[in-house]
Amino acid sequence: MNEKGNENHQKKEDMMKYIVFCGLLGFAFGCNSTGYGNVAFTALVSKDITVASMAVVKYDHVLTNLGGAYQPKTGVFTVPYNGIYTISCSLLSHPANYVHLDIMKNKAVLSTLFAAAKTHPHSGQTLQLVLKKDDKIWVRNANNKPRMLHDRKVYNMFSGVLIQECFDDQ
């Protein structure tokens, strides 16, 4: 093979590697990691709070809210784009009570966290989810009575990030 032939062969090989790489990232399946915008939020509980039975936990100390999809007044994250998201939650109960928290999606329980009473156990969950635009994600007190969370802007956290945007009907 002459020098020109080697150069063309190398270009074709590089292009095939690029196509495979893009496919692995999801581009071949209608997903795009640099689409409409970035979405990321992290919010914490700023002080000891009591959360009513089956009520939404309102994480009031917002560290990050890129895209503005988390609403601290309601405690709800509204999905702005179809895509793959990571949702995380951590829990530290007040020593006076045990706590169960549910991570919710559109009124369905996705996962439950537990922290015991009379100790300081810290629990957490991280979920990778395929979500659709306008899905609602929140954390609620899953107990049949009010429960106290212990915090000073460091223990009880709710966060999410868009990992990869997917086009409609994915």
Side-chain angles (χ1 to χ4, degrees):
M1 208 183 275
N2 64 26
E3 191 174 312
K4 185 75 166 172
N6 283 339
E7 186 176 304
N8 285 338
H9 178 74
Q10 185 62 44
K11 284 182 181 179
K12 286 180 183 177
E13 190 174 298
D14 290 346
M15 180 58 85
M16 288 305 296
K17 287 179 184 176
Y18 178 75
I19 290 169
V20 169
F21 176 74
C22 288
L24 289 172
L25 289 177
F27 290 103
F29 301 102
C31 294
N32 179 355
S33 62
T34 59
Y36 297 113
N38 295 320
V39 179
F41 75 94
T42 297
L44 301 156
V45 172
S46 65
K47 61 186 181 280
D48 288 358
I49 62 169
T50 299
V51 182
S53 174
M54 300 301 174
V56 176
V57 179
K58 295 175 184 165
Y59 297 85
D60 60 327
H61 181 71
V62 177
L63 296 178
T64 305
N65 198 5
L66 191 60
Y70 174 71
Q71 298 300 316
K73 289 184 180 188
T74 65
V76 176
F77 168 65
T78 302
V79 175
Y81 310 114
N82 293 349
I84 301 166
Y85 289 78
T86 294
I87 302 293
S88 296
C89 181
S90 63
L91 164 63
L92 180 69
S93 63
H94 190 281
N97 60 203
Y98 65 87
V99 177
H100 290 90
L101 295 181
D102 290 332
I103 300 174
M104 306 292 295
K105 174 189 167 191
N106 301 334
K107 300 184 181 179
V109 176
L110 297 177
S111 184
T112 301
L113 292 86
F114 173 74
K118 300 179 184 169
T119 64
H120 286 94
H122 197 206
S123 65
Q125 288 283 358
T126 300
L127 308 171
Q128 279 68 46
L129 304 169
V130 176
L131 299 173
K132 295 199 178 289
K133 184 177 194 262
D134 296 324
D135 280 344
K136 308 278 190 226
I137 306 292
W138 69 91
V139 178
R140 75 171 182 189
N141 173 6
N143 298 279
N144 60 2
K145 55 182 153 181
R147 292 295 180 195
M148 293 184 294
L149 303 182
H150 177 64
D151 214 329
R152 300 286 185 277
K153 300 180 189 174
V154 293
Y155 301 116
N156 292 285
M157 180 270 308
F158 179 36
S159 69
V161 64
L162 172 62
I163 300 298
Q164 187 171 31
E165 183 183 332
C166 294
F167 300 115
D168 292 339
D169 301 324
Q170 290 294 314

